[in-house]
Amino acid sequence: SSMLDSAVEYLTLDREASDRRPVDLNTCLRQALVNLRIEIEESHAHVRAGDLPVVVGDREQLVHVFQNLIANAIKFRGPEIPIVTIRCEERRHEYALVFRDNGIGIPSAHADRIFGVRARLHTSEQIPGTGLGLALCRAIVERHGGRVTLEKGDTLGATFIVTLPRTEQDPTGTERPDASPAPLERARIDQ
């Protein structure tokens, strides 16, 4: 999509909070994979994911986050077949979705720049794209009360961590943040 389309998408993020409902992230991932079918087939990419949780949010926007992070992993691939693994770590008040790839990686020096609206570490001739993708991901995740960070380090590949608030459903079906105290085992792991 063009820079203009991306900018429009960026500006229309402020949709009503009433769009928020329980969203199964497994469904978001499946939709993102359908949307990226051509890129996945052409690159022979493997996307592996553990079981993902249900969060409260805007399904369409969360699909976009998965789609963008997977598309980036495919776009910035190295000589090997791209492998993207997605796993979820349960923390006390949030879920941490860990997106790891085996691509060309992102030097630590650029780690803070990549989320800027105009961030481009590669010229358009080398790798197509608007440079708005990660800024959009960050905006969506922050709207959902979470964060997107790049794990620093010059190892092979890149690891993005997306955190989203945990919610527990009470019997009336309304969502409330972290209603029940963490079980003892989970609390011990957290420390």
Side-chain angles (χ1 to χ4, degrees):
S1 63
S2 70
M3 189 71 171
L4 183 63
D5 290 340
S6 298
V8 167
E9 206 170 356
Y10 195 77
L11 295 170
T12 54
L13 274 176
D14 241 339
R15 297 230 299 271
E16 283 304 299
S18 61
D19 288 351
R20 310 223 153 176
R21 49 181 58 89
V23 178
D24 181 347
L25 293 180
N26 296 292
T27 309
C28 293
L29 172 61
R30 279 196 294 275
Q31 184 60 54
L33 295 176
V34 168
N35 297 352
L36 291 169
R37 198 181 69 245
I38 293 165
E39 291 90 333
I40 289 169
E41 282 173 9
E42 284 177 353
S43 63
H44 306 288
H46 295 283
V47 179
R48 303 170 180 159
D51 194 41
L52 301 175
V54 172
V55 298
V56 171
D58 179 310
R59 182 177 176 275
E60 216 176 294
Q61 291 184 2
L62 291 169
V63 167
H64 185 93
V65 171
F66 277 86
Q67 188 173 328
N68 210 283
L69 290 172
I70 295 166
N72 267 357
I74 293 171
K75 192 192 291 184
F76 298 108
R77 62 183 177 270
E80 287 100 44
I81 284 176
I83 298 170
V84 186
T85 57
I86 305 164
R87 64 188 165 81
C88 178
E89 292 174 4
E90 288 193 30
R91 298 177 181 172
R92 191 162 184 169
H93 297 289
E94 63 188 14
Y95 293 112
L97 306 173
V98 182
F99 291 75
R100 177 165 278 146
D101 68 53
N102 63 339
I104 58 176
I106 299 161
S108 293
H110 297 303
D112 299 319
R113 279 187 42 215
I114 59 168
F115 294 103
V117 173
R118 289 196 183 77
R120 293 204 51 108
L121 304 180
H122 303 272
T123 64
S124 301
E125 292 73 53
Q126 288 175 286
I127 298 170
T130 61
L132 249 176
L134 287 172
L136 195 53
C137 280
R138 173 170 270 183
I140 290 170
V141 172
E142 286 176 356
R143 286 267 152 73
H144 283 77
R147 299 177 311 284
V148 183
T149 50
L150 172 72
E151 209 169 73
K152 297 224 170 65
D154 291 311
T155 56
L156 182 69
T159 301
F160 284 93
I161 299 167
V162 173
T163 63
L164 292 167
R166 289 182 62 154
T167 47
E168 307 288 342
Q169 266 195 314
D170 71 20
T172 62
T174 57
E175 296 282 337
R176 51 200 178 121
D178 205 34
S180 57
L184 199 58
E185 301 82 2
R186 194 179 293 147
R188 208 175 296 127
I189 294 166
D190 272 354
Q191 278 142 26

